[in-house]
Amino acid sequence: MLKIRNSILFTTLSLVLVLTLLLNISFGQVSIPIKEVVKSILGSSVEKETWEYIITNYRLPKAITAILVGISLSVSGLLMQTFFRNPLAGPYVLGLSSGSSLGVAFVVLGSSFLPSIVAQFFISSYGIILASCIGSLFVLLLIVLVSKYLRDVMSILIVGLMFSSFTSAIVNILTYFSTAEQLQKYTFWSMGNIGNISWQNIGFLSIAIFIGTLLSIVSLKPLDALLLGENYAKSMGLNFKKTQNIIILSTSILTGSITAFVGPIAFIGLAVPHLAKLLFQTSNHKTLFIGTILIGSIIMLLCDLISQMPMSDFTLPINAITSLVGAPIVIWLIIKRKTI
Amino acid sequence: MKKETIIATHDLSIGYKTKKETIAIAENLNLELTSGKLITLVGANGIGKSTLLRTLTGIQKPISGEVFLAEKNINSFDNLELAQNLSLVLTEKLPPSNLTVFELIALGRQPYTNWLGKLSDEDISTVKSVMKLTQIEHLADKKHFEISDGQLQKVMIARALAQETSIIILDEPTTHLDLFHKVSVFKLLKKLSQETKKCILFSTHDIDLAIQLSDEMIVMTEENIVQDQPCNLISKGIFNSLFKDQTITFDSEKGKFIIY
């Protein structure tokens, strides 16, 4: 019975994913008929050459980025919620996004304090990516260090929260001393942008996310055991330290690389695992893993579709859309929840 | 039928080590837990029952002496090996989740499943047979938060059984239950120790039930720790020294505590 229900859900979600992918590519400042989108993806010639150009150079990379963002943030949210036994845990809470933000804030807002040659490098897009990765890696190392001394997983969560406030305070101070131009650049990064990622960068991003996802698959069985709490899990043969390290490593690769390339994206990591739990009515992490991947991709494609404001020339910041969509979902879940 | 020694302690001293000093709770313990026996651990609150259980399960290291599980020092087991030899039922509350009773019991198969935790046909038949043994088959598809405390306790016992270990150690499995459910958990544990030939050790405050149903008891008092059959413990007058209060005495004829 349960197996049939799950197969129906997986099939439906896959179909919805294909549909949203086609819609996402089809809509934008220039509308392209879905039939032509399908043709282009399948490799046959398209009616207008400009369409072909738009699809291969703008729409398709953007859609793939959206899917990668959806997968990695949702999966790391799923891992964190079980690991920290906290339904409100997400990539944000561990402080990884804050770490990235701090890195970027330092180079963008603080560039006037750096020697001009160094400043020039850091202001370039590669500089931002590097700073962001260093930032999240710094937080990762900090958390690994803290977790060595604190056995309680809740304490790690609190350290993550404190780090976020610490970061925003530093960003505030840097803002005070920066020029309007620098401020604008930082603000744009912090709004998130999945639109101008080159094919080459998509390659890098895919490799990082492939590794992160692989690590999270390894932690699915330990996560099932952790549903009974740390002590029961240990009594069933779980190597807790090793599991903890794998989960921290995989979530920081997933979150760190995404934040580096597209900026901080809010709420996806928090809301999607809950949607999956609601839909599949299970705690089995193998089922939820596939579920969050599908739902995460669909939601990100839809959020991007909304941010394009079909029939208009505006593009809204993606981070605002994910918050607008995600926050009500989370509130609704909290009101509705009996057991999540 | 030959009794097999599952856990044995050699001159075991238990307690805590702080940076400054070592606080011993009990010293020179030589306990022997054998197969097919239902053994209860009793003692007043704060006497160190949990410390003893934590030491016997290898969670806490002894101050001195050794604990042997299957003739091997328990602190030399790795997690997986230990999980295949010893299973636990704890007092702690389960975190919220959507686990069904079947899934929860199946988690007990984790020490035997592959890296993805896939259940083989053999695993599934083990889960089904332990559910039959504990008479909870009708609960299989219920979520674990939908059943009563008494039923949940049986589910947790079934999960420990699914781990297929030679010994099950339970920490106060009858607390929070009414008399009917206390008795049914006691009887279930008794039945399991006889039918499966496992050694079952558990701590409890229900001393009169323990006296009636257990094969052996380990009594912890301030002075010492004694392991023996309930009737011998009664004739030795051990239970009188269980509580400090003079108004609580043990009536050895009725086999229960009397309050003056």
Side-chain angles (χ1 to χ4, degrees), chain A residues 241-276:
Chain A
K241 271 275 177 269
K242 188 177 140 201
T243 303
Q244 172 171 298
N245 290 341
I246 291 178
I247 290 174
I248 288 179
L249 192 63
S250 105
T251 47
S252 55
I253 289 177
L254 289 172
T255 320
S257 59
I258 286 294
T259 315
F261 281 94
V262 304
I265 305 283
F267 280 104
I268 296 294
L270 183 53
V272 172
H274 284 303
L275 285 176

mmCIF file of all heavy atoms in Angstrom, chain A residues 241-276:
data_model
loop_
_atom_site.group_PDB
_atom_site.id
_atom_site.type_symbol
_atom_site.label_atom_id
_atom_site.label_comp_id
_atom_site.label_asym_id
_atom_site.label_seq_id
_atom_site.Cartn_x
_atom_site.Cartn_y
_atom_site.Cartn_z
ATOM 1 N N LYS A 241 30.494 10.351 16.209
ATOM 2 C CA LYS A 241 31.447 11.375 15.766
ATOM 3 C C LYS A 241 31.611 11.359 14.246
ATOM 4 O O LYS A 241 31.624 12.405 13.608
ATOM 5 C CB LYS A 241 32.810 11.134 16.434
ATOM 6 C CG LYS A 241 32.954 11.838 17.776
ATOM 7 C CD LYS A 241 33.412 13.285 17.576
ATOM 8 C CE LYS A 241 33.512 14.059 18.877
ATOM 9 N NZ LYS A 241 32.295 14.776 19.247
ATOM 10 N N LYS A 242 31.716 10.134 13.695
ATOM 11 C CA LYS A 242 31.923 10.013 12.256
ATOM 12 C C LYS A 242 30.702 10.555 11.515
ATOM 13 O O LYS A 242 30.833 11.331 10.559
ATOM 14 C CB LYS A 242 32.145 8.535 11.907
ATOM 15 C CG LYS A 242 32.560 8.286 10.476
ATOM 16 C CD LYS A 242 32.821 6.797 10.260
ATOM 17 C CE LYS A 242 32.299 6.351 8.923
ATOM 18 N NZ LYS A 242 32.066 4.899 8.874
ATOM 19 N N THR A 243 29.510 10.163 11.986
ATOM 20 C CA THR A 243 28.282 10.646 11.361
ATOM 21 C C THR A 243 28.200 12.162 11.431
ATOM 22 O O THR A 243 27.883 12.830 10.455
ATOM 23 C CB THR A 243 27.059 10.052 12.086
ATOM 24 O OG1 THR A 243 27.171 8.634 12.056
ATOM 25 C CG2 THR A 243 25.774 10.469 11.429
ATOM 26 N N GLN A 244 28.523 12.695 12.612
ATOM 27 C CA GLN A 244 28.489 14.146 12.786
ATOM 28 C C GLN A 244 29.414 14.836 11.790
ATOM 29 O O GLN A 244 29.033 15.803 11.143
ATOM 30 C CB GLN A 244 28.904 14.470 14.218
ATOM 31 C CG GLN A 244 29.090 15.934 14.483
ATOM 32 C CD GLN A 244 29.277 16.200 15.965
ATOM 33 O OE1 GLN A 244 28.418 15.941 16.785
ATOM 34 N NE2 GLN A 244 30.424 16.711 16.325
ATOM 35 N N ASN A 245 30.620 14.297 11.639
ATOM 36 C CA ASN A 245 31.564 14.912 10.705
ATOM 37 C C ASN A 245 31.068 14.850 9.270
ATOM 38 O O ASN A 245 31.173 15.823 8.525
ATOM 39 C CB ASN A 245 32.933 14.241 10.809
ATOM 40 C CG ASN A 245 33.621 14.585 12.121
ATOM 41 O OD1 ASN A 245 33.252 15.560 12.774
ATOM 42 N ND2 ASN A 245 34.586 13.777 12.511
ATOM 43 N N ILE A 246 30.505 13.699 8.870
ATOM 44 C CA ILE A 246 30.008 13.572 7.493
ATOM 45 C C ILE A 246 28.886 14.568 7.254
ATOM 46 O O ILE A 246 28.845 15.246 6.224
ATOM 47 C CB ILE A 246 29.514 12.136 7.215
ATOM 48 C CG1 ILE A 246 30.694 11.169 7.183
ATOM 49 C CG2 ILE A 246 28.758 12.071 5.895
ATOM 50 C CD1 ILE A 246 30.298 9.723 6.971
ATOM 51 N N ILE A 247 27.971 14.683 8.220
ATOM 52 C CA ILE A 247 26.830 15.583 8.030
ATOM 53 C C ILE A 247 27.287 17.044 7.971
ATOM 54 O O ILE A 247 26.850 17.805 7.105
ATOM 55 C CB ILE A 247 25.778 15.367 9.144
ATOM 56 C CG1 ILE A 247 25.102 14.013 8.937
ATOM 57 C CG2 ILE A 247 24.731 16.479 9.137
ATOM 58 C CD1 ILE A 247 24.147 13.599 10.014
ATOM 59 N N ILE A 248 28.200 17.427 8.859
ATOM 60 C CA ILE A 248 28.688 18.810 8.843
ATOM 61 C C ILE A 248 29.436 19.095 7.544
ATOM 62 O O ILE A 248 29.241 20.132 6.906
ATOM 63 C CB ILE A 248 29.574 19.089 10.075
ATOM 64 C CG1 ILE A 248 28.699 19.155 11.333
ATOM 65 C CG2 ILE A 248 30.338 20.402 9.912
ATOM 66 C CD1 ILE A 248 29.447 19.407 12.605
ATOM 67 N N LEU A 249 30.251 18.140 7.116
ATOM 68 C CA LEU A 249 31.005 18.329 5.876
ATOM 69 C C LEU A 249 30.056 18.465 4.690
ATOM 70 O O LEU A 249 30.165 19.397 3.886
ATOM 71 C CB LEU A 249 31.955 17.140 5.674
ATOM 72 C CG LEU A 249 33.011 17.306 4.600
ATOM 73 C CD1 LEU A 249 33.936 18.453 4.955
ATOM 74 C CD2 LEU A 249 33.800 16.024 4.403
ATOM 75 N N SER A 250 29.084 17.545 4.601
ATOM 76 C CA SER A 250 28.222 17.560 3.430
ATOM 77 C C SER A 250 27.340 18.807 3.401
ATOM 78 O O SER A 250 27.180 19.439 2.353
ATOM 79 C CB SER A 250 27.402 16.275 3.349
ATOM 80 O OG SER A 250 26.082 16.475 3.719
ATOM 81 N N THR A 251 26.788 19.222 4.557
ATOM 82 C CA THR A 251 25.941 20.417 4.543
ATOM 83 C C THR A 251 26.758 21.674 4.242
ATOM 84 O O THR A 251 26.273 22.574 3.575
ATOM 85 C CB THR A 251 25.202 20.629 5.877
ATOM 86 O OG1 THR A 251 26.128 20.467 6.945
ATOM 87 C CG2 THR A 251 24.091 19.639 6.038
ATOM 88 N N SER A 252 28.009 21.707 4.706
ATOM 89 C CA SER A 252 28.756 22.935 4.431
ATOM 90 C C SER A 252 29.227 22.976 2.982
ATOM 91 O O SER A 252 29.310 24.051 2.392
ATOM 92 C CB SER A 252 29.909 23.123 5.407
ATOM 93 O OG SER A 252 30.718 21.999 5.394
ATOM 94 N N ILE A 253 29.487 21.819 2.376
ATOM 95 C CA ILE A 253 29.813 21.835 0.939
ATOM 96 C C ILE A 253 28.585 22.294 0.158
ATOM 97 O O ILE A 253 28.668 23.169 -0.707
ATOM 98 C CB ILE A 253 30.259 20.434 0.451
ATOM 99 C CG1 ILE A 253 31.642 20.096 1.001
ATOM 100 C CG2 ILE A 253 30.286 20.388 -1.082
ATOM 101 C CD1 ILE A 253 32.127 18.708 0.641
ATOM 102 N N LEU A 254 27.431 21.708 0.482
ATOM 103 C CA LEU A 254 26.208 22.044 -0.251
ATOM 104 C C LEU A 254 25.841 23.525 -0.083
ATOM 105 O O LEU A 254 25.611 24.234 -1.058
ATOM 106 C CB LEU A 254 25.047 21.163 0.233
ATOM 107 C CG LEU A 254 25.103 19.680 -0.151
ATOM 108 C CD1 LEU A 254 24.005 18.897 0.545
ATOM 109 C CD2 LEU A 254 25.002 19.505 -1.654
ATOM 110 N N THR A 255 25.813 23.994 1.162
ATOM 111 C CA THR A 255 25.414 25.384 1.402
ATOM 112 C C THR A 255 26.495 26.352 0.956
ATOM 113 O O THR A 255 26.204 27.356 0.301
ATOM 114 C CB THR A 255 25.150 25.632 2.902
ATOM 115 O OG1 THR A 255 24.485 24.515 3.446
ATOM 116 C CG2 THR A 255 24.316 26.859 3.110
ATOM 117 N N GLY A 256 27.744 26.050 1.311
ATOM 118 C CA GLY A 256 28.850 26.954 0.989
ATOM 119 C C GLY A 256 28.978 27.209 -0.504
ATOM 120 O O GLY A 256 29.061 28.357 -0.933
ATOM 121 N N SER A 257 28.936 26.141 -1.306
ATOM 122 C CA SER A 257 29.130 26.342 -2.741
ATOM 123 C C SER A 257 27.961 27.099 -3.353
ATOM 124 O O SER A 257 28.148 27.969 -4.204
ATOM 125 C CB SER A 257 29.338 24.997 -3.444
ATOM 126 O OG SER A 257 28.235 24.171 -3.242
ATOM 127 N N ILE A 258 26.746 26.788 -2.910
ATOM 128 C CA ILE A 258 25.579 27.496 -3.448
ATOM 129 C C ILE A 258 25.633 28.977 -3.081
ATOM 130 O O ILE A 258 25.467 29.860 -3.933
ATOM 131 C CB ILE A 258 24.261 26.870 -2.917
ATOM 132 C CG1 ILE A 258 23.983 25.537 -3.602
ATOM 133 C CG2 ILE A 258 23.085 27.810 -3.116
ATOM 134 C CD1 ILE A 258 23.696 25.638 -5.083
ATOM 135 N N THR A 259 25.904 29.267 -1.800
ATOM 136 C CA THR A 259 25.934 30.662 -1.371
ATOM 137 C C THR A 259 27.026 31.422 -2.106
ATOM 138 O O THR A 259 26.855 32.574 -2.490
ATOM 139 C CB THR A 259 26.156 30.753 0.154
ATOM 140 O OG1 THR A 259 25.306 29.814 0.782
ATOM 141 C CG2 THR A 259 25.834 32.134 0.674
ATOM 142 N N ALA A 260 28.149 30.765 -2.332
ATOM 143 C CA ALA A 260 29.242 31.412 -3.045
ATOM 144 C C ALA A 260 28.806 31.856 -4.434
ATOM 145 O O ALA A 260 29.047 32.982 -4.853
ATOM 146 C CB ALA A 260 30.425 30.460 -3.152
ATOM 147 N N PHE A 261 28.127 30.973 -5.155
ATOM 148 C CA PHE A 261 27.808 31.279 -6.550
ATOM 149 C C PHE A 261 26.551 32.125 -6.729
ATOM 150 O O PHE A 261 26.478 32.944 -7.626
ATOM 151 C CB PHE A 261 27.665 29.983 -7.358
ATOM 152 C CG PHE A 261 28.984 29.387 -7.747
ATOM 153 C CD1 PHE A 261 29.587 28.427 -6.970
ATOM 154 C CD2 PHE A 261 29.637 29.818 -8.904
ATOM 155 C CE1 PHE A 261 30.804 27.880 -7.310
ATOM 156 C CE2 PHE A 261 30.861 29.282 -9.264
ATOM 157 C CZ PHE A 261 31.455 28.315 -8.466
ATOM 158 N N VAL A 262 25.538 31.912 -5.902
ATOM 159 C CA VAL A 262 24.277 32.633 -6.145
ATOM 160 C C VAL A 262 23.844 33.540 -5.002
ATOM 161 O O VAL A 262 22.801 34.164 -5.080
ATOM 162 C CB VAL A 262 23.121 31.661 -6.484
ATOM 163 C CG1 VAL A 262 23.470 30.796 -7.656
ATOM 164 C CG2 VAL A 262 22.760 30.816 -5.280
ATOM 165 N N GLY A 263 24.626 33.624 -3.917
ATOM 166 C CA GLY A 263 24.213 34.465 -2.788
ATOM 167 C C GLY A 263 23.337 33.681 -1.837
ATOM 168 O O GLY A 263 22.949 32.556 -2.127
ATOM 169 N N PRO A 264 23.037 34.293 -0.684
ATOM 170 C CA PRO A 264 22.225 33.568 0.300
ATOM 171 C C PRO A 264 20.781 33.431 -0.188
ATOM 172 O O PRO A 264 20.190 34.400 -0.640
ATOM 173 C CB PRO A 264 22.299 34.449 1.551
ATOM 174 C CG PRO A 264 22.669 35.797 1.059
ATOM 175 C CD PRO A 264 23.407 35.643 -0.230
ATOM 176 N N ILE A 265 20.256 32.201 -0.136
ATOM 177 C CA ILE A 265 18.863 31.968 -0.531
ATOM 178 C C ILE A 265 18.130 31.471 0.705
ATOM 179 O O ILE A 265 18.467 30.426 1.246
ATOM 180 C CB ILE A 265 18.757 30.900 -1.646
ATOM 181 C CG1 ILE A 265 19.614 31.277 -2.855
ATOM 182 C CG2 ILE A 265 17.305 30.672 -2.053
ATOM 183 C CD1 ILE A 265 19.044 32.328 -3.752
ATOM 184 N N ALA A 266 17.121 32.219 1.133
ATOM 185 C CA ALA A 266 16.463 31.903 2.410
ATOM 186 C C ALA A 266 15.312 30.925 2.254
ATOM 187 O O ALA A 266 14.754 30.788 1.158
ATOM 188 C CB ALA A 266 15.960 33.187 3.052
ATOM 189 N N PHE A 267 14.987 30.235 3.320
ATOM 190 C CA PHE A 267 13.755 29.472 3.520
ATOM 191 C C PHE A 267 13.626 28.155 2.764
ATOM 192 O O PHE A 267 12.846 27.299 3.150
ATOM 193 C CB PHE A 267 12.498 30.310 3.240
ATOM 194 C CG PHE A 267 12.155 31.187 4.391
ATOM 195 C CD1 PHE A 267 12.422 32.545 4.352
ATOM 196 C CD2 PHE A 267 11.597 30.649 5.524
ATOM 197 C CE1 PHE A 267 12.132 33.348 5.431
ATOM 198 C CE2 PHE A 267 11.303 31.451 6.605
ATOM 199 C CZ PHE A 267 11.569 32.802 6.562
ATOM 200 N N ILE A 268 14.367 27.987 1.641
ATOM 201 C CA ILE A 268 14.238 26.732 0.896
ATOM 202 C C ILE A 268 14.660 25.562 1.792
ATOM 203 O O ILE A 268 13.957 24.566 1.916
ATOM 204 C CB ILE A 268 15.100 26.767 -0.383
ATOM 205 C CG1 ILE A 268 14.590 27.845 -1.336
ATOM 206 C CG2 ILE A 268 15.115 25.414 -1.074
ATOM 207 C CD1 ILE A 268 13.227 27.586 -1.909
ATOM 208 N N GLY A 269 15.808 25.721 2.453
ATOM 209 C CA GLY A 269 16.336 24.658 3.293
ATOM 210 C C GLY A 269 15.435 24.321 4.462
ATOM 211 O O GLY A 269 15.419 23.199 4.959
ATOM 212 N N LEU A 270 14.672 25.300 4.901
ATOM 213 C CA LEU A 270 13.779 25.099 6.045
ATOM 214 C C LEU A 270 12.441 24.502 5.610
ATOM 215 O O LEU A 270 11.938 23.539 6.193
ATOM 216 C CB LEU A 270 13.577 26.441 6.748
ATOM 217 C CG LEU A 270 12.737 26.487 8.009
ATOM 218 C CD1 LEU A 270 13.230 25.482 9.022
ATOM 219 C CD2 LEU A 270 12.783 27.888 8.592
ATOM 220 N N ALA A 271 11.856 25.093 4.545
ATOM 221 C CA ALA A 271 10.473 24.742 4.182
ATOM 222 C C ALA A 271 10.356 23.423 3.419
ATOM 223 O O ALA A 271 9.438 22.641 3.673
ATOM 224 C CB ALA A 271 9.851 25.879 3.367
ATOM 225 N N VAL A 272 11.270 23.163 2.492
ATOM 226 C CA VAL A 272 11.108 21.992 1.614
ATOM 227 C C VAL A 272 11.078 20.655 2.367
ATOM 228 O O VAL A 272 10.199 19.826 2.110
ATOM 229 C CB VAL A 272 12.172 21.989 0.487
ATOM 230 C CG1 VAL A 272 12.141 20.687 -0.294
ATOM 231 C CG2 VAL A 272 11.939 23.164 -0.441
ATOM 232 N N PRO A 273 12.011 20.413 3.335
ATOM 233 C CA PRO A 273 11.925 19.134 4.046
ATOM 234 C C PRO A 273 10.579 18.943 4.749
ATOM 235 O O PRO A 273 10.054 17.836 4.791
ATOM 236 C CB PRO A 273 13.051 19.234 5.080
ATOM 237 C CG PRO A 273 14.008 20.202 4.507
ATOM 238 C CD PRO A 273 13.187 21.186 3.746
ATOM 239 N N HIS A 274 10.001 20.045 5.249
ATOM 240 C CA HIS A 274 8.699 19.924 5.904
ATOM 241 C C HIS A 274 7.606 19.565 4.895
ATOM 242 O O HIS A 274 6.720 18.770 5.197
ATOM 243 C CB HIS A 274 8.334 21.229 6.615
ATOM 244 C CG HIS A 274 9.096 21.415 7.883
ATOM 245 N ND1 HIS A 274 9.067 20.493 8.889
ATOM 246 C CD2 HIS A 274 9.930 22.398 8.298
ATOM 247 C CE1 HIS A 274 9.845 20.896 9.872
ATOM 248 N NE2 HIS A 274 10.385 22.050 9.536
ATOM 249 N N LEU A 275 7.672 20.173 3.714
ATOM 250 C CA LEU A 275 6.696 19.833 2.682
ATOM 251 C C LEU A 275 6.798 18.356 2.336
ATOM 252 O O LEU A 275 5.786 17.666 2.178
ATOM 253 C CB LEU A 275 6.926 20.690 1.422
ATOM 254 C CG LEU A 275 6.479 22.146 1.523
ATOM 255 C CD1 LEU A 275 6.862 22.900 0.256
ATOM 256 C CD2 LEU A 275 4.973 22.220 1.727
ATOM 257 N N ALA A 276 8.036 17.865 2.233
ATOM 258 C CA ALA A 276 8.236 16.451 1.894
ATOM 259 C C ALA A 276 7.674 15.554 2.986
ATOM 260 O O ALA A 276 7.011 14.560 2.705
ATOM 261 C CB ALA A 276 9.716 16.163 1.679
#
